[in-house]
Amino acid sequence: MEVVVVLCLSLGMSLGMGGLVVGLVWFSLRQQREQGRRWAEACQQLGLTLTGSPTRGLFSGPRVSLRQTMDGERAGLPVQVGMRIVTSGSGKNRQTHYYSYAKAFFPRSLELGLSVTPTNVVARAFAALVGSRDLEVGDARIDPHYKIAAAEPEAAQALLRVPYLADALAVGASGAFEPYVSDTELRYEMRGKCLDAGPLGAALDQAIDLARRILAAREEIGPTGAEDVVDRAWRPIAEARGLALDVDQTRMSGRVEGVHVEVDAQLRGTRRVTVFTVRFDRALGVGLKLTREGALHGIGKLFGMVDIETGDPAFDDRFVVKGQPADAVRALLTPEVRSQLVSLQQHAELLEVEDDRLTAVVGWLIRDPAWIDSGLVTLARAGAALAGVAAGAGPYRR
């Protein structure tokens, strides 16, 4: 009898637990459907279009997902309303965080390497203790509330000091949705799920307003520092060597030492870098891939990632070399070529050779004309040696 009672109790507990699990799953699915319905309703009220794939349930058809974005156009700008979903931790510590946002995309890059991010109370207190290390604009309504970085700091400061822009940033620092600015977009974001058209629409209006202020201020401050440097410091080199100079694209190109060379002032993240490129008239034909030796290369060798070595320690310790056949690759890497590449590597943040080009990246915008000229010649000679080109060779063929 006791055994029967125990079995009945165990069965009842199992059924109870099973019912609880089923109830939780049912409640979760119902909640997801309700959230999807509200998300779709908000999208319709805002006059936008849902983009992305809906969720497909095991026992139900497709339903609107919070991972779908609302896309469209307002005031001549592409816009988007969405939910940024971030998962952290694992197992029992796994957590999912939701961030609601409204974006306006700029029609063209600001070309400042700009990043404006709101700071929280803890970050402000820490900055007060150790001293602020980010870019400041000298406005007490802005500096304590935002972390600012830029590849063109003077131009960024001039932009953010424009009164009608500074006023909007100051107001944005105290709202539920806070502004985030980059070179390509303006985003108002809040932590948590916002499913109602009212606050989402208000955030979208704010994003559009601030984006238009930024674009107007960008026109007001004029050309960036990079354009000025190219016009002032690179122009003498272009004229002396007969190279083409495009100030708007911050690029110089032509033939030096018998090969086609290009110099670009490029934004990479929040930094403006100088990129030197030699484009070979003909591909080297060995599938060459040469990169500067990285910290992980030693680990890679443990797993069979063997590169081609030349027997020159000064060269082999600096570069990873791939290609085939190996003998043909070694034949290309003559003592002169190896010496040139080692010399370049000492000045470049990144050095890379492929079958059709040689690229060297210096981690800042070079403002010294003599340095630009020296870099051009050094890279051109290394490229000419690799390609077996004599000085004064014919025109570059695309």
Side-chain angles (χ1 to χ4, degrees):
M1 186 66 177
E2 291 180 358
V3 173
V4 173
V5 171
V6 170
L7 288 173
C8 288
L9 289 173
S10 298
L11 180 60
M13 291 177 64
S14 298
L15 290 172
M17 289 298 295
L20 178 61
V21 170
V22 171
L24 289 173
V25 171
W26 176 83
F27 177 78
S28 176
L29 291 174
R30 181 179 179 182
Q31 187 179 45
Q32 289 176 16
R33 282 196 295 269
E34 174 62 16
Q35 290 178 353
R37 182 192 65 77
R38 292 175 61 189
W39 193 242
E41 187 177 274
C43 180
Q44 184 178 21
Q45 292 178 15
L46 293 172
L48 302 176
T49 302
L50 278 176
T51 303
S53 300
T55 298
R56 292 186 177 275
L58 184 61
F59 303 107
S60 62
R63 63 175 183 271
V64 174
S65 166
L66 296 185
R67 295 183 183 275
Q68 291 180 273
T69 58
M70 310 176 195
D71 295 272
E73 185 175 303
R74 291 279 184 85
L77 297 176
V79 297
Q80 182 180 88
V81 175
M83 195 79 67
R84 192 164 62 88
I85 304 173
V86 180
T87 303
S88 62
S90 59
K92 294 181 179 179
N93 298 319
R94 185 182 176 88
Q95 292 183 317
T96 302
H97 306 279
Y98 293 86
Y99 301 85
S100 307
Y101 68 80
K103 287 182 184 179
F105 298 92
F106 302 134
R108 58 191 176 280
S109 172
L110 301 178
E111 295 191 340
L112 299 174
L114 184 63
S115 172
V116 180
T117 307
T119 57
N120 56 35
V121 175
V122 175
R124 290 173 206 158
F126 180 77
L129 287 174
V130 302
S132 177
R133 296 183 181 179
D134 61 315
L135 185 65
E136 294 191 349
V137 299
D139 189 327
R141 303 172 302 163
I142 295 174
D143 290 333
H145 300 283
Y146 296 96
K147 182 177 181 180
I148 303 170
E152 304 292 341
E154 293 181 1
Q157 286 173 324
L159 178 84
L160 299 175
R161 285 171 182 160
V162 173
Y164 54 79
L165 174 51
D167 291 344
L169 282 174
V171 171
S174 59
F177 283 83
E178 297 178 302
Y180 295 73
V181 186
S182 74
D183 263 5
T184 57
E185 66 181 45
L186 186 286
R187 180 176 89 251
Y188 269 83
E189 183 175 279
M190 66 165 284
R191 182 163 186 163
K193 296 177 184 177
C194 180
L195 305 173
D196 298 325
L200 288 173
L204 185 57
D205 289 341
Q206 285 183 296
I208 294 165
D209 176 71
L210 185 52
R212 294 176 74 176
R213 290 172 187 247
I214 289 172
L215 291 170
R218 182 66 186 84
E219 292 295 326
E220 191 171 313
I221 67 169
T224 65
E227 292 164 343
D228 179 64
V229 168
V230 168
D231 192 34
R232 176 173 44 82
W234 295 15
R235 186 176 293 280
I237 306 302
E239 292 176 350
R241 292 193 172 274
L243 305 177
L245 181 68
D246 188 331
V247 175
D248 292 337
Q249 297 297 319
T250 60
R251 173 178 296 174
M252 179 166 57
S253 62
R255 295 190 79 83
V256 176
E257 300 289 323
V259 293
H260 180 85
V261 295
E262 297 171 1
V263 188
D264 293 90
Q266 295 182 4
L267 273 174
R268 295 197 173 181
T270 59
R271 295 185 303 153
R272 178 77 68 173
V273 301
T274 307
V275 182
F276 294 86
T277 305
V278 170
R279 298 188 186 276
F280 304 136
D281 288 0
R282 299 183 182 85
L284 300 177
V286 293
L288 183 61
K289 181 71 173 179
L290 179 150
T291 55
R292 179 176 175 172
E293 178 82 73
L296 295 177
H297 179 59
I299 298 174
K301 282 184 175 179
L302 296 177
F303 295 91
M305 292 174 60
V306 180
D307 60 287
I308 299 169
E309 296 190 345
T310 65
D312 179 349
F315 179 85
D316 293 336
D317 290 346
R318 286 174 170 83
F319 297 102
V320 179
V321 182
K322 306 289 182 183
Q324 58 181 350
D327 288 343
V329 174
R330 291 191 185 95
L332 277 174
L333 300 175
T334 64
E336 179 189 1
V337 169
R338 298 199 301 269
S339 175
Q340 295 273 15
L341 293 178
V342 168
S343 177
L344 277 172
Q345 183 266 340
Q346 294 171 351
H347 301 285
E349 183 178 83
L350 171 69
L351 185 64
E352 187 174 68
V353 183
E354 297 181 73
D355 238 26
D356 63 345
R357 75 190 68 187
L358 163 62
T359 305
V361 180
V362 178
W364 54 86
L365 177 59
I366 301 177
R367 302 169 184 269
D368 182 354
W371 190 353
I372 283 288
D373 193 55
S374 174
L376 271 173
V377 171
T378 303
L379 193 84
R381 287 176 178 171
L386 257 173
V389 175
Y396 172 67
R397 294 184 296 278
R398 292 189 179 277

